[in-house]
Amino acid sequence: MTRDRLKELTLLGQSVWYDYIRRDLYTGPELQRLIDEDSLRGMTSNPTIFQKAVANSELYDDFIRQAGDQGRSAAETFDELAIEDVCHAADVFRSVYDQTGGNDGFVSIEEDPHLARDAQRSIEEARRLWRACGRPNVMVKIPGTSECLPAIRQCLAEGININITLLFSVPRYRKVIEAYLSALEDRVGQGLSVDRVRSVASFFVSRVDTNTDKKLDFIATDPWCTSFERASAQKLRGKLGIANAKLAYHAFDEAFTTARFAELKGKGAAVQRPLWASTSSKDPAYPDLYYVEALIAPNTVDTMPQETFDAFRDHGDPRIRIYEDLPHAWSVLSGLRELHLDAGEIADELEGEGLRKFSDSYDAVLKTIEEKERTVRVG
């Protein structure tokens, strides 16, 4: 009998969301099949995914041509295109949302990443996207920068579901949890319900190792370093991403087992689940499910690209591992400090790098739409 490995993850308390969206997923039977057969529980989108979908298919050509005929800019076209895809996908996931009491079945739409340092404009954009989508099972993605923490709190207090993205450090994650709890308390203080407010905190994993491993590889081959330092660098390779996420989950456990949250839970509040992002293995030296299997945990989400999703369906080992060897996670941080590498500084680097990449992707999808509009018009 064939194992339903992805369904087993659901039974263990971890929801799998698809890190992928394209128009033919929801216009045909494929998305519903993934929900029915593989227990898919949600979907995330970003400009990079849309750029590839637009550039590598003809699915959006008619839409782009019509938008061009109506005089819309590339930014306006992308906005309408993304909202339409997210809304239609959310409609397919609505049955999951209803069956899970509003805990799953979400589709995320991302704000313009150029707003990541501007709280007020982020609030306004989140409100606009929330109204435009008009579905309870949509989440608006706001980066978890220090500047946008007030925006996250305000939007959640207004009842907008928020996916806080680009989290790389446990201290910043704790502040995101605080923003969520405070937002719920704000609602309670105003006599508003909290039972339908949902949020996830997207904690990035493999990107942490991509950055750290480069630094460790330099130390491991630096003749000016001691043999002990070179050996330590080799041993720490590929360790920080998982250790960092395990410590984040420990922070989650602490925050949502307090009397403070118990009072909110009594009013219907749900936990803000950690969402493991960037869980595909970027380094071929690591197994394809290196990060996914290590971070199986109750009350979490793993957003997987198509290749990782298919790989887990084929040969994943669904077993809760998040609690394994937590002291080792702390020792990884200590080992890095001995090599003069600081996890906080690495997180700051990654945040800046992530914001640049997201902004570049946004600019790239606009350029792709402009090029497509010229191409389809000539054609």
Side-chain angles (χ1 to χ4, degrees):
M1 183 176 178
T2 304
R3 288 185 69 181
D4 291 327
R5 292 177 171 85
L6 291 160
K7 287 187 176 180
E8 289 181 43
L9 282 182
T10 303
L11 295 174
L12 292 173
Q14 183 171 77
S15 297
V16 177
W17 292 4
Y18 223 28
D19 193 26
Y20 180 74
I21 190 169
R22 209 170 81 159
R23 189 150 292 188
D24 53 348
L25 262 180
Y26 65 77
T27 56
E30 180 62 9
L31 183 53
Q32 190 62 54
R33 185 192 68 78
L34 292 169
I35 293 169
D36 295 339
E37 297 182 11
D38 293 320
S39 195
L40 186 65
R41 286 290 175 263
M43 179 178 283
T44 54
S45 68
N46 61 52
T48 303
I49 291 171
F50 278 116
Q51 192 274 333
K52 292 177 181 177
V54 171
N56 300 332
S57 77
E58 299 178 354
L59 295 167
Y60 300 89
D61 289 8
D62 288 343
F63 187 96
I64 291 170
R65 182 188 296 110
Q66 291 170 11
D69 290 342
Q70 294 165 3
R72 289 185 175 85
S73 68
E76 290 169 332
T77 299
F78 173 58
D79 186 64
E80 292 184 21
L81 177 156
I83 289 170
E84 183 170 309
D85 272 13
V86 166
C87 285
H88 283 292
D91 289 342
V92 179
F93 276 107
R94 183 57 190 261
S95 60
V96 176
Y97 177 81
D98 292 337
Q99 290 165 8
T100 60
N103 288 321
D104 259 318
F106 290 96
V107 183
S108 294
I109 186 167
E110 187 162 335
E111 289 191 347
D112 177 349
H114 291 80
L115 306 179
R117 303 292 189 189
D118 190 325
Q120 187 55 44
R121 290 181 65 197
S122 290
I123 292 169
E124 293 165 1
E125 180 69 352
R127 288 169 177 163
R128 186 188 69 81
L129 289 171
W130 179 249
R131 287 194 301 266
C133 290
R135 271 82 171 164
N137 58 323
V138 165
M139 285 189 174
V140 179
K141 293 172 76 173
I142 299 178
T145 60
S146 58
E147 294 88 344
C148 276
L149 289 172
I152 290 163
R153 175 174 175 173
Q154 179 62 38
C155 290
L156 287 166
E158 293 180 14
I160 301 172
N161 299 324
I162 301 296
N163 177 343
I164 300 97
T165 188
L166 281 181
L167 297 176
F168 298 98
S169 77
V170 176
R172 180 65 55 77
Y173 173 51
R174 289 185 185 276
K175 292 181 180 179
V176 164
I177 295 174
E178 175 60 32
Y180 176 71
L181 295 174
S182 296
L184 296 183
E185 289 166 343
D186 291 344
R187 287 185 65 82
V188 170
Q190 297 167 35
L192 300 172
S193 65
V194 295
D195 60 319
R196 285 289 165 170
V197 179
R198 294 294 185 274
S199 177
V200 293
S202 294
F203 203 88
F204 283 61
V205 186
S206 67
R207 287 193 195 186
V208 174
D209 282 340
T210 300
N211 178 295
T212 310
D213 285 357
K214 290 178 182 177
K215 295 177 170 63
L216 292 170
D217 288 345
F218 179 82
I219 294 170
T221 57
D222 185 352
W224 294 101
C225 291
T226 66
S227 58
F228 174 80
E229 288 171 331
R230 292 196 295 271
S232 295
Q234 289 176 334
K235 289 179 182 178
L236 287 169
R237 200 175 191 280
K239 298 296 192 295
L240 181 57
I242 290 172
N244 201 35
K246 285 189 173 186
L247 294 175
Y249 190 78
H250 179 65
F252 162 79
D253 258 350
E254 284 184 335
F256 290 97
T257 53
T258 60
R260 179 186 184 186
F261 178 70
E263 185 172 348
L264 289 166
K265 185 178 180 181
K267 299 180 185 301
V271 299
Q272 180 193 56
R273 289 180 295 174
L275 180 151
W276 309 129
S278 182
T279 54
S280 60
S281 297
K282 308 294 191 293
D283 189 327
Y286 306 142
D288 55 356
L289 299 176
Y290 179 65
Y291 299 102
V292 173
E293 292 185 338
L295 299 178
I296 297 171
N299 285 314
T300 60
V301 178
D302 193 323
T303 179
M304 302 183 193
Q306 188 173 11
E307 298 79 8
T308 307
F309 187 88
D310 292 342
F312 198 92
R313 181 201 291 119
D314 178 71
H315 54 270
D317 181 12
R319 178 167 58 85
I320 293 175
R321 297 175 175 82
I322 197 74
Y323 303 107
E324 294 178 0
D325 205 4
L326 191 61
H328 178 258
W330 290 109
S331 72
V332 168
L333 299 186
S334 299
L336 289 171
R337 283 194 294 270
E338 290 175 2
L339 297 175
H340 308 290
L341 296 177
D342 181 80
E345 292 177 2
I346 290 169
D348 289 342
E349 284 181 23
L350 285 164
E351 182 182 277
E353 178 184 295
L355 290 174
R356 286 191 297 274
K357 286 182 176 179
F358 276 25
S359 296
D360 289 348
S361 292
Y362 180 83
D363 295 340
V365 73
L366 299 191
K367 184 177 180 181
T368 298
I369 288 172
E370 289 173 349
E371 293 171 349
K372 257 298 175 87
E373 199 274 330
R374 289 194 293 269
T375 301
V376 297
R377 191 173 298 283
V378 171

